């Protein structure tokens, strides 16, 4: 029930799924203090922008958006910046006059008190790291229809030279397995059947007693869970135990998002990824041997300092060798304070070269993916209906191996699982025709109307 006297809060989320999950925790924290969530900034008492710092353009968008939000502010509206950009820039963000709160990812517990302070006209920056903080007592307010993001690890202990994340999210720490399992039971009770376990290098999960294999087995066995996914793993943390757990637990989906970043051993070395091209391929081989029907997707960075034509060709050739189902591709973006900043300026790859390589990579990856997708026509597979498609007429559903399939609206409802035959592809997504479920013939009793 809504009460007219409740203060309202709107959170706008940018960046990765960890941020989506953090926003759900912030909504949860504020709901426990009497706030009501609203779906837009107009008229909200509190507006929070949960930000991403991974590339410069993510930050530029937020700065632009902060300017726009001014239009939606009343005289008493409180605006706060949270997330990785808040952690990275700290008090520098308070130079924007209408921002009164800057709160990093380990300080969300303080939100209600800080908002109260801001109401009295004060302005705050809260960016201390807290290695104990997992927000265990906060009940996340979930808005996603069919799946739950569950954070299992915060921070990162790798130090890839391009990456800002270790600076914005601090050192790696894992939640206790029992807490993750408890939350999984809670999301089942809310009617959700899919969970996505989140961590910066999620397969290095270790709570002191249990590793990631234990976690997959425990979460995958929760009654009512039909699909378990996770993102993102690091290639160096795929133990045989994890691969065996993936293969043996029926609810764990046959999909791994395995960030590659580059196909060149020398670039990988400069990135401090701690694996070579051959190590990456060996990891792919082990995963495919252990998990039948496995789909692989990846992240790739183009134009890292010093990248030569030959090194870039190695990236293209590794894509041809692995045959990813899909890839997120990024132009390198220099982040302040990362080790890449200390590399010789002569190593900078000119913008036009980066753009040309990026376009070639996109064409190559999309082409390979389209060729693979054409071979899937006629397959019969299970999909989960996730949401109404953008055209408003069909539903968007997903296979276990993370392919998007459009199904007709009359096929079922959001949250339903159904068997479809893959009947068409645009190259990137599919259309599916629902299969008739065979029902046992019922004996006819009495007469037909
Ligand atoms: N520039 C470009 N892409 C980056 N990523 C991380 N840092 C940078 C950067 N400085 C990409 C990586 C990572 C993904 C989440 O974002 O590919 O896997
Ligand atoms: Fe960044 Fe590397 Fe950690 Fe991923 S593993 S968050 S790329 S430092």
């Amino acid at each position: 029930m809504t009460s007219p006297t409740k203060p309202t809060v709107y959170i706008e989320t940018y960046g990765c799924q960890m941020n989506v999950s953090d926003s759900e925790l912030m909504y949860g924290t504020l709901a426990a203090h009497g706030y009501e969530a609203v779906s837009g900034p107009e008229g909200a008492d509190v507006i929070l922008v949960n930000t991403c710092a991974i590339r410069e353009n993510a930050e530029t968008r937020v700065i632009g958006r902060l300017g726009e939000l001014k239009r939606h502010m009343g005289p008493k509206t409180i605006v706060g910046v949270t997330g990785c950009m808040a952690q990275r820039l700290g008090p520098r963000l308070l130079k924007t006059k209408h921002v009164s709160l800057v709160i990093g990812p380990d300080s969300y517990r303080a939100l209600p008190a800080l908002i109260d302070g801001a109401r009295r006209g004060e302005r705050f920056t809260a960016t201390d790291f807290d290695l104990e903080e997992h927000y265990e007592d906060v009940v996340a307010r979930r808005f996603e229809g069919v799946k739950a993001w569950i954070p299992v690890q915060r921070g990162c202990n790798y130090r890839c030279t391009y990456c800002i994340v270790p600076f914005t999210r601090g050192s790696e720490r894992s939640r206790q397995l029992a807490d993750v399992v408890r939350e999984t039971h809670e999301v089942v009770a809310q009617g959700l059947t899919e969970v996505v376990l989140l961590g910066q290098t999620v397969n290095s999960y270790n709570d002191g007693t249990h590793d990631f294999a234990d976690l997959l087995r425990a979460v995958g066995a929760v009654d009512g869970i039909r699909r378990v996914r996770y993102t993102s793993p690091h290639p160096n943390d795929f133990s045989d135990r994890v691969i065996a757990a993936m293969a043996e637990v029926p609810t764990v989906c046959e999909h791994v998002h395995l960030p590659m970043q580059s196909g060149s051993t020398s670039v990988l070395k400069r990135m401090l990824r701690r694996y070579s091209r051959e190590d990456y391929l060996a990891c792919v081989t082990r995963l495919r041997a252990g998990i039948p029907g496995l789909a692989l997707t990846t992240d790739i960075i183009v134009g890292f300092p010093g990248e030569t034509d030959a090194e870039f060709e190695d990236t293209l050739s590794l894509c041809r060798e692995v045959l990813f189902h899909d890839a997120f591709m990024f132009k390198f973006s220099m982040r302040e304070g990362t080790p890449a900043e200390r590399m010789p300026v002569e190593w900078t790859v000119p913008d036009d070269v980066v753009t040309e390589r990026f376009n070639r990579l996109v064409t190559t990856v999309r082409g390979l993916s389209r060729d693979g997708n054409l071979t899937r026509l006629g397959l019969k597979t299970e999909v989960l209906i996730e949401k109404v498609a953008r055209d408003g007429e069909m539903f968007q559903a997903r296979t276990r191996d993370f392919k998007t399939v459009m199904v007709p609206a009359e096929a079922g409802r959001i949250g339903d699982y159904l068997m479809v035959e893959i009947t068409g592809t645009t190259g990137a997504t599919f259309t599916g025709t629902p299969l008739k479920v065979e029902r046992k013939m019922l004996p006819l009793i009495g007469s037909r109307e």
Side-chain angles (χ1 to χ4, degrees):
M1 222 168 62
T2 58
S3 140
T5 55
K6 275 190 169 183
T8 55
V9 55
Y10 166 66
I11 307 181
E12 190 159 294
T13 309
Y14 292 82
C16 65
Q17 283 136 351
M18 192 61 93
N19 260 14
V20 175
S21 160
D22 278 354
S23 291
E24 293 175 343
L25 286 170
M26 285 193 262
Y27 273 126
T29 303
L30 290 170
H33 283 78
Y35 284 80
E36 187 183 344
V38 289
S39 58
E42 304 80 17
D45 296 307
V46 178
I47 301 174
L48 299 175
V49 184
N50 194 12
T51 62
C52 169
I54 199 109
R55 281 171 293 276
E56 193 181 350
N57 55 11
E59 294 199 350
T60 316
R61 261 179 81 201
V62 165
I63 298 290
R65 183 62 180 147
L66 281 175
E68 272 173 31
L69 283 173
K70 239 169 132 172
R71 278 194 285 127
H72 302 292
M73 289 176 67
K76 292 193 180 152
T77 311
I78 305 294
V79 173
V81 180
T82 63
C84 288
M85 215 175 141
Q87 186 70 38
R88 189 178 94 69
L89 294 172
R92 285 189 265 176
L93 282 167
L94 289 181
K95 285 197 193 122
T96 306
K97 288 282 177 295
H98 60 287
V99 171
S100 36
L101 299 173
V102 178
I103 309 176
D106 285 348
S107 303
Y108 298 149
R109 192 175 286 284
L111 262 171
L114 295 180
I115 292 172
D116 286 346
R119 286 226 169 87
R120 296 190 299 268
E122 294 167 54
R123 303 174 84 207
F124 296 99
T125 305
T127 50
D128 286 345
F129 285 127
D130 179 352
L131 293 183
E132 304 294 311
E133 186 59 280
H134 283 294
Y135 301 104
E136 283 315 340
D137 54 327
V138 177
V139 181
R141 280 289 306 274
R142 296 195 154 84
F143 298 97
E144 168 81 43
V146 298
K147 67 178 101 175
W149 316 110
I150 301 190
V152 303
Q153 174 200 57
R154 298 177 79 84
C156 180
N157 276 356
Y158 283 85
R159 291 290 176 269
C160 303
T161 53
Y162 51 80
C163 189
I164 195 76
V165 168
F167 301 89
T168 61
R169 290 194 169 264
S171 308
E172 176 185 326
R173 54 238 128 105
S174 296
R175 288 175 75 182
Q176 290 297 305
L177 178 137
D179 290 325
V180 178
V181 170
R182 173 186 44 76
E183 190 169 358
T184 308
H185 281 288
E186 285 166 12
V187 303
V188 169
Q190 289 163 16
L192 306 183
T193 56
E194 175 173 326
V195 290
V196 187
L197 309 178
L198 300 179
Q200 235 58 244
T201 56
V202 67
N203 52 340
S204 69
Y205 171 92
N206 193 314
D207 73 354
T209 319
H210 308 98
D211 66 2
F212 191 60
D214 296 325
L215 187 71
L216 284 178
R217 288 182 192 277
V219 170
V222 169
D223 216 16
I225 286 297
R226 288 185 63 168
R227 289 184 172 184
V228 179
R229 303 184 186 281
Y230 59 88
T231 196
S232 287
H234 191 286
N236 288 9
D237 294 307
F238 267 113
S239 62
D240 290 340
R241 284 171 51 79
V242 170
I243 297 176
M246 280 197 77
E248 287 163 24
V249 180
T251 49
V252 177
C253 291
E254 298 78 21
H255 169 228
V256 174
H257 181 72
L258 188 68
M260 154 181 132
Q261 314 299 3
S262 167
S264 151
T265 296
S266 40
V267 172
L268 289 167
K269 207 169 208 155
R270 294 202 291 283
M271 289 178 164
L272 197 64
R273 283 294 287 176
R274 305 168 204 236
Y275 54 81
S276 63
R277 175 190 176 94
E278 290 69 33
D279 296 334
Y280 185 88
L281 265 175
C283 179
V284 168
T285 306
R286 284 171 59 231
L287 284 166
R288 285 192 166 144
I291 307 156
L294 182 73
L296 287 173
T297 53
T298 197
D299 290 342
I300 304 169
I301 298 176
V302 178
F304 186 76
E307 186 186 70
T308 62
D309 276 333
E311 286 171 336
F312 174 67
E313 290 297 332
D314 284 345
T315 294
L316 291 180
S317 76
L318 193 52
C319 289
R320 289 191 201 100
E321 225 164 303
V322 176
L323 297 176
F324 296 106
H325 276 211
D326 205 353
F328 293 111
M329 294 161 273
F330 309 102
K331 293 179 182 175
F332 170 70
S333 169
M334 183 69 87
R335 307 312 289 134
E336 187 186 354
T338 57
E341 224 192 6
R342 297 192 290 276
M343 291 178 178
V345 277
E346 315 83 82
W347 287 11
T348 307
V349 184
D351 285 349
D352 55 335
V353 176
V354 177
T355 300
E356 189 269 333
R357 286 182 191 162
F358 180 79
N359 292 341
R360 269 168 69 201
L361 178 66
V362 170
T363 307
T364 304
V365 167
R366 297 270 180 272
L368 293 167
S369 158
R370 192 176 324 112
D371 294 349
N373 286 346
L374 284 171
T375 67
R376 298 163 72 87
L377 293 175
L379 276 183
K380 296 182 173 72
T381 183
E382 180 199 77
V383 296
L384 165 60
I385 301 182
E386 290 190 339
K387 56 183 170 196
V388 176
R390 238 179 273 155
D391 70 3
E393 284 177 13
M394 298 187 90
F395 277 132
Q396 186 175 311
R398 230 178 249 285
T399 63
R400 284 174 61 94
D401 66 356
F402 213 59
K403 292 286 185 186
T404 303
V405 182
M406 300 300 169
V407 296
E410 58 277 12
R413 281 176 306 187
I414 291 173
D416 283 354
Y417 288 84
L418 53 137
M419 287 299 292
V420 297
E421 179 175 341
I422 301 293
T423 42
T425 176
T426 60
T429 61
F430 296 92
T431 43
T433 306
L435 293 172
K436 294 246 169 349
V437 182
E438 279 179 40
R439 291 208 176 83
K440 264 202 217 129
M441 291 292 285
L442 292 172
L444 280 176
I445 301 173
S447 62
R448 280 197 302 167
E449 289 290 299

